[in-house]
Amino acid sequence: MSSTIDDTQALHLSTQGRSASDDLGERLEQLNAIGAALSAERDIDRLLENILVAAKTITRADGGTLYRVTEDRTLRFEIFRTTSLKYYLGGTTGTPVPFYPIHLYKDGKPNNSMVAAHAALTGKTVSIADAYTAEGFDFTGTRAFDSKTGYRSKSFLTVPMKNHENEIIGVLQLINSKDPSSGEIIAFSSSDQRLAESLASQAAIALTNRMLINQLEQLFESFIKLMNTAIDEKSPYTGGHCQRVPALTMLLAEAVNETTEGPLRDFHMTDKDRYELKIAGLLHDCGKVTTPVHVVDKATKLETIYDRIHLLDTRFEVLKRDAEIEMLKRRIGRLEQGRKIEPMEAMEEEVRDLERLRQFDEDRSFLRACNIGGERMRDADIERVKQIAQYRWCDVAGHEASFLTEDELRNLTIRAGTLTEQERKVINHHIVATIRMLEALPWPRHLASVPEYAGGHHERMDGKGYPKGLTREQMSVQARCMGIADIFEALTAKDRPYKKGKTLSESLEILGKFRQNGHVDPDLFDVFVRRKVYRRYAEMFLDKEQIDEVDEAKIPGYVP
């Protein structure tokens, strides 16, 4: 049932009953229709409210209360409605019921003095013609309510809600049955009782099933979050990515859902669609469990388990040591030969030796800068690294070796970033692993698109993305939303090893260029900027210094 049954509908249904001269068959048909609708309701608050309103309808009750049994053995007020007073509490109203819960036991003994507690304890329905003359139950609270409101609580029908395992999970209490002809308050009839008991049974099963489904969904989501936490904690540099991308994806998707004009005006999401996209967002990087930590955490070009730049420092010290030893040996040789050297020649030799040592220091600083892997390397810088690689040095075994190994040379000449081509393939493989993992799961029908949504966030609109090279037309709006979210999160993230988080204006400029070169969806990009999704995300996740003023007129590819 997608919407709450209100009391106007209830009155209409009740009128139908009166026009059929209290036709029990017609009320049974209503009961069957209500039972089917209850089974379809996903929201617990709406479900509880619909149960009570439906019970009031088929029994022609003016008021009613729905209680749920709690773990601490009390009856908690969930819904309270009295039509004639227009008194509605709990459920979808957003106004909690202000009454204290009813204890099932007092001093360790069954609290049979309260009619609702008695029904829950015994599992038996209690029908009372007039609460003011009935004996055996305490109606002090009822009388106090009547005194305060001017109401007159008279007939009561209190029905335990028993599920398929014969457990009492709640109590349905109906008040003041109205005669369909005169409108007078009368006692609930035996047919009212049978209908209410049948509804209570169906409602208990529907409620138990919905609670079980909710618990399974919570368990499923908790397991996903547990896995994402493990992925994020596996690398301190990507912590929170698996939480931020889903959040931004949902912000953008909701903005598109609210759009009433433009190419995306026909895009709409149901609650099931939202849940499916939420799960896909949470699982979009689950394949990273297969990615080696040393690749994910590679903060510098020479880093593996540790940063090998320190090995080069040692080698430079060896080169300098060897150069100094060579200088000293040359001088000692001259002294032993008794050969004199002219002052000018000695000065030139000293200058050459000092220049050589200075060159080693400059080369070491240069390689350290190359190791950071920030801006794109120039051809001249790559050539200089290759020249330094030709130095020769003696290793600890006394063997002469190249100053840089082939692997070190390959890493230090990476054009941009810190990853080699092979390491990029290892990183990119995570999306292949994600798709394989998700496609291997037996998804229910309402989650069948999770693999497609989660597996498309590295595709491009022009077909140049990976792993499948899909074009815009081959992708769902949801997958395209996730692609933008993944990029923008990466641009603004402040926990990456190779960069600091960019500001909003910097990130939007880069994202705008991605829109221009066919990387991201142009229509979604327009919604992302126009509806200021970026600003809402920033307020949730970015540092204050990253949230700068944005001149949308200057964003590439965007027309205000």
Side-chain angles (χ1 to χ4, degrees), residues 269-281:
M269 292 190 300
T270 64
D271 287 343
K272 287 185 178 181
D273 295 332
R274 289 181 174 88
Y275 185 71
E276 186 175 36
L277 182 55
K278 173 187 174 183
I279 294 301

Side-chain angles (χ1 to χ4, degrees), residues 484-524:
I484 288 181
D486 191 71
I487 292 171
F488 195 76
E489 190 283 332
L491 291 171
T492 56
K494 51 186 179 290
D495 51 12
R496 298 297 192 269
Y498 44 83
K499 71 171 189 67
K500 64 179 183 178
K502 296 184 181 298
T503 63
L504 279 182
S505 57
E506 291 172 333
S507 301
L508 288 168
E509 181 180 1
I510 295 172
L511 191 65
K513 291 178 180 177
F514 279 12
R515 179 251 186 256
Q516 290 178 321
N517 67 18
H519 196 130
V520 301
D521 185 282
D523 298 329
L524 288 175

Side-chain angles (χ1 to χ4, degrees), residues 31 35 38-39 51 159-167 169-170 172 193-209:
L31 178 63
L38 293 179
S39 298
I51 290 170
V159 185
M161 296 173 62
K162 190 180 301 184
N163 67 14
H164 58 288
E165 294 181 341
N166 215 34
E167 295 176 335
I169 66 168
L172 192 59
Q193 180 171 332
R194 288 194 298 272
L195 288 169
E197 288 173 342
S198 179
L199 174 60
S201 178
Q202 293 183 57
I205 293 172
L207 179 58
T208 300
N209 287 342

Side-chain angles (χ1 to χ4, degrees), residues 242-253:
C242 292
Q243 281 73 46
R244 292 190 294 264
V245 170
L248 181 52
T249 298
M250 295 309 298
L251 285 175
L252 178 54

Side-chain angles (χ1 to χ4, degrees), residues 137-186:
F137 296 108
D138 182 1
F139 283 101
T140 303
T142 299
R143 296 190 183 198
F145 175 82
D146 289 354
S147 176
K148 183 177 180 180
T149 62
Y151 193 66
R152 172 61 165 92
S153 302
K154 189 175 182 181
S155 58
F156 277 71
L157 183 63
T158 308
V159 185
M161 296 173 62
K162 190 180 301 184
N163 67 14
H164 58 288
E165 294 181 341
N166 215 34
E167 295 176 335
I168 305 298
I169 66 168
V171 172
L172 192 59
Q173 189 167 75
L174 302 166
I175 304 173
N176 287 359
S177 177
K178 288 188 176 182
D179 183 273
S181 301
S182 64
E184 293 182 3
I185 303 302
I186 58 174

Side-chain angles (χ1 to χ4, degrees), residues 309-324:
I309 193 67
H310 303 299
L311 296 180
L312 304 194
D313 288 339
T314 301
R315 292 176 202 166
F316 274 114
E317 290 301 319
V318 171
L319 288 180
K320 291 172 66 176
R321 180 204 64 187
D322 290 347
E324 290 170 348

Side-chain angles (χ1 to χ4, degrees), residues 211-435:
M211 291 173 62
L212 178 60
I213 291 172
N214 285 0
Q215 289 169 357
L216 289 174
E217 288 178 347
Q218 290 172 5
L219 178 62
F220 177 53
E221 289 182 40
S222 297
F223 179 75
I224 293 173
K225 291 176 182 178
L226 178 67
M227 183 168 63
N228 284 343
T229 299
I231 292 172
D232 283 340
E233 290 192 358
K234 179 180 178 183
S235 166
Y237 300 121
T238 58
H241 172 80
C242 292
Q243 281 73 46
R244 292 190 294 264
V245 170
L248 181 52
T249 298
M250 295 309 298
L251 285 175
L252 178 54
E254 290 293 355
V256 179
N257 186 68
E258 296 165 3
T259 299
T260 57
E261 56 186 25
L264 296 170
R265 62 183 178 277
D266 294 328
F267 176 81
H268 299 292
M269 292 190 300
T270 64
D271 287 343
K272 287 185 178 181
D273 295 332
R274 289 181 174 88
Y275 185 71
E276 186 175 36
L277 182 55
K278 173 187 174 183
I279 294 301
L282 290 171
L283 287 168
H284 83 284
D285 265 352
C286 64
K288 280 187 177 177
V289 296
T290 66
T291 307
V293 176
H294 74 273
V295 177
V296 177
D297 285 3
K298 194 180 181 190
T300 62
K301 294 180 179 181
L302 289 177
E303 184 173 2
T304 50
I305 304 302
Y306 61 95
D307 193 345
R308 293 173 291 165
I309 193 67
H310 303 299
L311 296 180
L312 304 194
D313 288 339
T314 301
R315 292 176 202 166
F316 274 114
E317 290 301 319
V318 171
L319 288 180
K320 291 172 66 176
R321 180 204 64 187
D322 290 347
E324 290 170 348
I325 290 174
E326 183 182 338
M327 290 164 49
L328 293 173
K329 283 182 177 180
R330 190 168 59 247
R331 292 175 184 176
I332 292 172
R334 287 199 303 269
L335 290 174
E336 289 177 344
Q337 295 172 9
R339 185 168 68 87
K340 292 183 179 181
I341 184 170
E342 295 297 326
M344 183 59 69
E345 183 182 353
M347 184 178 296
E348 290 175 352
E349 190 175 272
E350 184 73 17
V351 169
R352 283 197 303 272
D353 291 336
L354 291 176
E355 180 63 30
R356 190 178 180 189
L357 295 176
R358 185 164 51 250
Q359 185 64 48
F360 288 151
D361 287 335
E362 289 178 359
D363 288 343
R364 175 165 59 180
S365 297
F366 172 71
L367 291 187
R368 279 186 162 275
C370 292
N371 188 44
I372 295 173
E375 300 297 327
R376 186 175 180 83
M377 284 188 75
R378 300 176 302 171
D379 290 340
D381 292 335
I382 291 177
E383 189 57 35
R384 183 175 174 184
V385 174
K386 292 179 179 179
Q387 291 175 357
I388 295 173
Q390 295 175 9
Y391 289 166
R392 309 295 291 176
W393 76 295
C394 289
D395 60 23
V396 291
H399 301 139
E400 189 177 83
S402 297
F403 188 76
L404 297 177
T405 65
E406 290 185 7
D407 181 73
E408 291 165 348
L409 178 60
R410 182 166 54 252
N411 277 273
L412 286 170
T413 53
I414 294 171
R415 284 282 183 181
T418 62
L419 300 178
T420 64
E421 188 62 30
Q422 186 59 38
E423 287 166 339
R424 287 193 180 277
K425 289 180 180 178
V426 172
I427 289 285
N428 292 350
H429 178 74
H430 84 273
I431 191 62
V432 177
T434 294
I435 294 172

